[in-house]
Amino acid sequence: MPIDWSARAVGQSQRLHPYVPGKPIEMLLVEKGLSKAIKLASNENPHGPAPSAIAVLKQAAESVHRYPDGDAGDLKQALARKHKISTENIFIGNGSNEVLELMIRTFAGNGDEVIYSERGFIVYALAATAAGAAGVAVPEADGLTHDLHAMVASVTSRTKVICIANPNNPTGTLHDASAIQDFLDALPRGLVVILDEAYYEFVADKIEDSINALQHPGLIICRTFSKAYGLAGLRVGYAVGDAEILGLVNRFREPFNVNLLAQKAAIAALDDTAWVQKTVAKCKAGRQRLETALEEWGVLGGKSFGNFVLLRHQEAAFVLQKLEDQGIIPRPLAPYCMPDYLRITVGTAEENNRLLAALSSILGQAADVA
Amino acid sequence: MPIDWSARAVGQSQRLHPYVPGKPIEMLLVEKGLSKAIKLASNENPHGPAPSAIAVLKQAAESVHRYPDGDAGDLKQALARKHKISTENIFIGNGSNEVLELMIRTFAGNGDEVIYSERGFIVYALAATAAGAAGVAVPEADGLTHDLHAMVASVTSRTKVICIANPNNPTGTLHDASAIQDFLDALPRGLVVILDEAYYEFVADKIEDSINALQHPGLIICRTFSKAYGLAGLRVGYAVGDAEILGLVNRFREPFNVNLLAQKAAIAALDDTAWVQKTVAKCKAGRQRLETALEEWGVLGGKSFGNFVLLRHQEAAFVLQKLEDQGIIPRPLAPYCMPDYLRITVGTAEENNRLLAALSSILGQAADVA
């Protein structure tokens, strides 16, 4: 008789469902028999990594037989200088995904609760479940914005961690620093609060720098090199917060969690502020152009503060299929219970042209279908 | 009053102690005021990565703004071809360390037991503790070899996972395939058995290929690109075994756990069999030379089947300090309760010369001290 391995795994394995990533370009090419496609599904930086990061990667390629610095000491020092904080207030992970997972695992287990928004980044729910904790999804205010009052009201004696993203992915909404501080002030002491700022660089000129502006003993701010910094493929994210909290999280870290090339490229990219500012400016100009067109066509799903726009259409599945037919990969938001939305990453000027041309013809057809 | 974060973290955090990696070269240079040092502490491949892997890294550096393939599809296919198995029998991790961690987390939680050797790789104990399970360390037979009978006898109704390494790190001992098969046959059905073969390539000509030779429903074989393949800095390891078991483990995997450059370099290194064989041959010749000298000097700690040798000396701490004074970093084995042992990685011919010259003078002094 075969062994029922599923019954032998820990209980929470039954409640875990794998994350569905953006469709890879290669997969679309095969599916549709195309020779070229563009991916606007994963909020990558379409302008590529900083040239200085590329140069460092080429230099360091010959030393990858050595283990990385497990403590990522040089990268921590570079971040400490940038943020004017101490290295003991920094934790580095294999993408901010790992930072989120380890934070939640360290503070929430069986019988504990982790609070997040119903339309917050799906990894909060996955990480809570993987840790054996109960995830508590709080509905959004007016469809898209975190309902900070409702999140505070959801706290119970079993709540250990609360996660918010600002700007939020996938909805693109933004709260200013005073709204976040009011939220923090309303929370009981002793909660770990994860403020996920993966898209911070796109609003750095709009809101106060949370690392210095916000006050809460359990506040942990997460940032990433995967978006504005253009290093998604290397996997490096970080957290800033209380040294005792991060020291506890560090106990759960694998000895060499962040790879050698990622550490070196992140330091180079961090130093290249002019390059980051330039690509962020290009992204914002592209976002403005896309949002203006979507609004004209009556399909703008909401104002976005990230490097992506939201398209809303009652035939979103049809629009998705037609875009893919033309070699353009957006991200369907059905996993976020937003079946009439597509999230579309702002591309290069050429990619945005191609997207708008495609959408223009598809939306006429979609109107006929509807 | 400050918040006691430690009391708010999950219970197992109190029992977790960070892994102590080999001392980095840069740290020794600063400590000793030296301009040059060699690291023989982490069993890296001293001959560097395969040239084909270096070339691929340089090519791919410009595409690291893209997320990696979360499923590592191309690498799985390359491994499936090599081992003549199906891709569904392969799981890929951020180093074999992550593979070990996720395997243990998937099957062992609070109230469960994980069995390993007292002198097995320390990550088994760390991963069991991090998962909230109880680690059961079984004493070694005659000091260095896994006591397979005692390990079988330690199984209880609470045992979920049992880990053995072959060859073992840090003791370098080897069991042949028939001994491992006898061990597997003696275990109850339904246990997950992790056979950690991080050093397999160094014994590939000595023992049958476990992937095809061994039979047990719960057997999961782990291998790595960090040792013979020379890619320690990139973090890539893999597991081979039952598809249902690996499917459950996959639920706990982070969406993009293995970075883009690691996947590409691993495929290139895997194809470069001539290069791997050449460096393995050099390593074995170097090991023979080092072991012959250690034996002559009466300090051989045991025959090793890995890319390292064992030095045993009652003044091991003195020998360690003197080697470091001369810019040579071995690995003290105090964390394995082997305070009179040093583990020394086989280096390049030049590094081995330098090591032997240093040891020759130090052992004379150590005799005076003792």
Side-chain angles (χ1 to χ4, degrees):
Chain A
M1 210 174 70
I3 297 166
D4 181 357
W5 291 110
S6 183
R8 300 192 64 87
V10 294
Q12 63 264 38
S13 62
Q14 301 309 314
R15 298 183 283 124
L16 271 176
H17 304 283
Y19 177 89
V20 180
K23 184 176 285 192
I25 286 182
E26 296 70 20
M27 190 184 290
L28 185 73
L29 296 180
V30 171
E31 277 179 15
K32 305 285 183 183
L34 296 167
S35 62
K36 202 190 158 195
I38 58 175
K39 186 178 167 208
L40 302 175
S42 302
N43 300 343
E44 296 149 334
N45 183 334
H47 306 288
S52 54
I54 295 173
V56 162
L57 289 173
K58 290 182 178 179
Q59 263 172 29
E62 293 180 22
S63 60
V64 297
H65 57 304
R66 297 297 175 188
Y67 278 89
D69 172 7
D71 186 50
D74 290 345
L75 178 53
K76 276 189 186 168
Q77 283 181 21
L79 287 166
R81 277 195 301 275
K82 180 185 172 72
H83 295 303
K84 301 184 175 58
I85 56 177
S86 160
T87 53
E88 67 180 2
N89 297 113
I90 301 172
F91 177 86
I92 313 221
N94 186 39
S96 63
N97 194 306
E98 188 190 50
V99 177
L100 297 168
E101 286 240 358
L102 291 176
M103 289 289 316
I104 289 173
R105 252 183 102 189
T106 303
F107 289 96
N110 287 314
D112 297 328
E113 288 172 354
V114 177
I115 293 175
Y116 44 81
S117 266
E118 196 180 40
R119 291 174 179 176
F121 186 33
I122 215 159
V123 163
Y124 313 143
L126 292 174
T129 305
V136 178
V138 178
E140 304 283 297
D142 61 58
L144 293 176
T145 317
H146 288 342
D147 188 338
L148 299 178
H149 294 290
M151 293 181 82
V152 171
S154 301
V155 172
T156 73
S157 60
R158 310 201 315 172
T159 306
K160 294 297 177 68
V161 180
I162 187 162
C163 307
I164 59 171
N166 197 49
N168 187 45
N169 169 33
T171 64
T173 53
L174 178 72
H175 290 280
D176 64 19
S178 72
I180 303 285
Q181 185 62 57
D182 289 347
F183 165 74
L184 294 172
D185 291 343
L187 290 172
R189 271 163 61 88
L191 275 194
V192 172
V193 187
I194 298 177
L195 175 59
D196 179 357
E197 296 191 328
Y199 297 89
Y200 172 76
E201 290 77 13
F202 299 101
V203 294
D205 59 344
K206 272 207 179 338
I207 60 170
E208 278 188 277
D209 185 350
S210 51
I211 289 178
N212 297 304
L214 298 177
Q215 299 293 331
H216 188 271
L219 176 65
I220 303 291
I221 295 167
C222 293
R223 295 194 184 167
T224 182
F225 285 88
S226 298
K227 305 300 176 187
Y229 284 102
L231 301 179
L234 292 179
R235 319 306 302 124
V236 48
Y238 63 101
V240 173
D242 181 85
E244 190 191 347
I245 292 178
L246 296 180
L248 289 161
V249 177
N250 195 49
R251 298 188 187 184
F252 288 84
R253 182 177 64 77
E254 287 162 31
F256 304 103
N257 60 328
V258 181
N259 71 90
L260 182 147
L261 294 179
Q263 295 185 32
K264 291 186 185 290
I267 294 169
L270 201 62
D271 280 347
D272 208 339
T273 49
W275 181 88
V276 172
Q277 284 171 7
K278 203 168 70 180
T279 65
V280 165
K282 280 187 203 167
C283 166
K284 285 184 190 170
R287 185 179 67 199
Q288 183 60 54
R289 199 172 146 231
L290 295 181
E291 290 194 335
T292 301
L294 295 183
E295 191 157 29
E296 264 177 35
W297 297 335
V299 294
L300 182 64
K303 166 73 192 144
S304 164
F305 290 89
N307 62 341
F308 53 88
V309 297
L310 286 184
L311 180 151
R312 185 175 193 176
H313 196 286
Q314 56 181 354
E315 301 292 335
F318 175 85
V319 176
L320 169 67
Q321 185 206 310
K322 289 292 170 184
L323 281 172
E324 289 192 350
D325 285 347
Q326 297 195 40
I328 298 171
I329 312 176
R331 187 68 159 269
L333 294 187
Y336 291 90
C337 302
M338 297 166 72
D340 48 346
Y341 285 82
L342 299 179
R343 192 192 69 188
I344 308 177
T345 305
V346 179
T348 61
E350 190 194 332
E351 289 170 343
N352 296 337
N353 286 343
R354 190 166 156 186
L355 170 70
L356 290 176
L359 274 179
S360 163
S361 68
I362 292 166
L363 290 173
Q365 299 168 40
D368 296 341
V369 170
Chain B
M1 209 172 75
I3 296 165
D4 182 356
W5 291 110
S6 183
R8 299 193 64 86
V10 294
Q12 64 264 39
S13 62
Q14 302 309 314
R15 296 183 284 125
L16 271 175
H17 304 286
Y19 177 89
V20 180
K23 185 177 282 194
I25 286 182
E26 296 71 20
M27 189 184 291
L28 185 74
L29 295 180
V30 171
E31 278 179 15
K32 304 285 183 186
L34 296 168
S35 62
K36 204 190 156 196
I38 58 176
K39 186 179 167 207
L40 303 175
S42 303
N43 299 346
E44 296 150 332
N45 183 332
H47 306 288
S52 54
I54 295 173
V56 162
L57 289 172
K58 290 183 178 179
Q59 263 170 27
E62 294 180 21
S63 60
V64 297
H65 57 305
R66 298 297 176 188
Y67 278 90
D69 173 7
D71 186 49
D74 290 345
L75 177 53
K76 276 188 186 168
Q77 283 181 22
L79 287 165
R81 277 194 302 275
K82 180 183 172 72
H83 294 304
K84 300 183 177 58
I85 56 176
S86 160
T87 53
E88 66 180 3
N89 297 113
I90 301 173
F91 177 86
I92 312 216
N94 187 39
S96 63
N97 194 305
E98 189 190 49
V99 177
L100 298 168
E101 285 241 358
L102 290 177
M103 288 291 316
I104 288 173
R105 251 184 102 190
T106 303
F107 288 96
N110 286 314
D112 296 328
E113 289 174 354
V114 176
I115 294 176
Y116 44 81
S117 264
E118 195 178 43
R119 290 174 181 176
F121 187 34
I122 215 160
V123 163
Y124 314 144
L126 292 174
T129 305
V136 177
V138 178
E140 304 284 299
D142 61 57
L144 293 177
T145 316
H146 288 342
D147 188 337
L148 299 178
H149 295 290
M151 292 181 82
V152 171
S154 301
V155 172
T156 73
S157 59
R158 311 200 317 169
T159 305
K160 293 298 177 68
V161 181
I162 188 162
C163 307
I164 57 172
N166 197 51
N168 188 46
N169 169 33
T171 63
T173 52
L174 179 72
H175 290 279
D176 65 19
S178 72
I180 303 287
Q181 186 62 56
D182 289 347
F183 165 73
L184 294 171
D185 292 343
L187 290 172
R189 270 162 61 86
L191 274 193
V192 172
V193 186
I194 298 177
L195 175 59
D196 179 357
E197 297 191 328
Y199 297 88
Y200 171 76
E201 290 76 12
F202 300 100
V203 294
D205 60 342
K206 273 209 178 339
I207 60 171
E208 279 186 278
D209 184 350
S210 51
I211 288 179
N212 297 303
L214 298 178
Q215 298 294 332
H216 188 270
L219 176 65
I220 302 291
I221 295 168
C222 293
R223 294 195 184 168
T224 182
F225 285 89
S226 297
K227 305 300 175 189
Y229 284 103
L231 301 180
L234 293 179
R235 319 306 302 122
V236 47
Y238 62 102
V240 172
D242 181 84
E244 190 191 348
I245 292 178
L246 296 181
L248 289 161
V249 177
N250 194 49
R251 298 187 185 185
F252 288 84
R253 180 177 64 77
E254 288 163 31
F256 303 103
N257 60 327
V258 182
N259 72 89
L260 182 148
L261 295 179
Q263 294 185 32
K264 291 185 186 291
I267 293 170
L270 201 61
D271 280 348
D272 208 340
T273 49
W275 181 88
V276 172
Q277 284 170 5
K278 202 168 71 180
T279 65
V280 165
K282 281 186 201 167
C283 166
K284 286 184 190 170
R287 185 178 68 199
Q288 184 59 54
R289 193 166 153 237
L290 294 181
E291 289 193 335
T292 301
L294 295 183
E295 191 158 28
E296 265 179 34
W297 298 335
V299 294
L300 182 63
K303 165 75 193 142
S304 164
F305 291 89
N307 61 341
F308 53 88
V309 297
L310 286 183
L311 179 151
R312 184 175 194 175
H313 196 286
Q314 56 182 354
E315 301 291 335
F318 175 86
V319 177
L320 169 68
Q321 185 207 309
K322 289 290 171 188
L323 281 172
E324 288 193 350
D325 286 347
Q326 297 194 40
I328 298 171
I329 314 176
R331 188 68 158 267
L333 294 186
Y336 291 88
C337 302
M338 298 166 71
D340 49 345
Y341 285 83
L342 300 178
R343 191 193 69 187
I344 307 177
T345 305
V346 179
T348 60
E350 190 193 332
E351 289 170 344
N352 296 338
N353 286 342
R354 189 163 157 188
L355 169 72
L356 290 176
L359 274 178
S360 160
S361 69
I362 292 167
L363 290 173
Q365 298 168 42
D368 295 342
V369 170

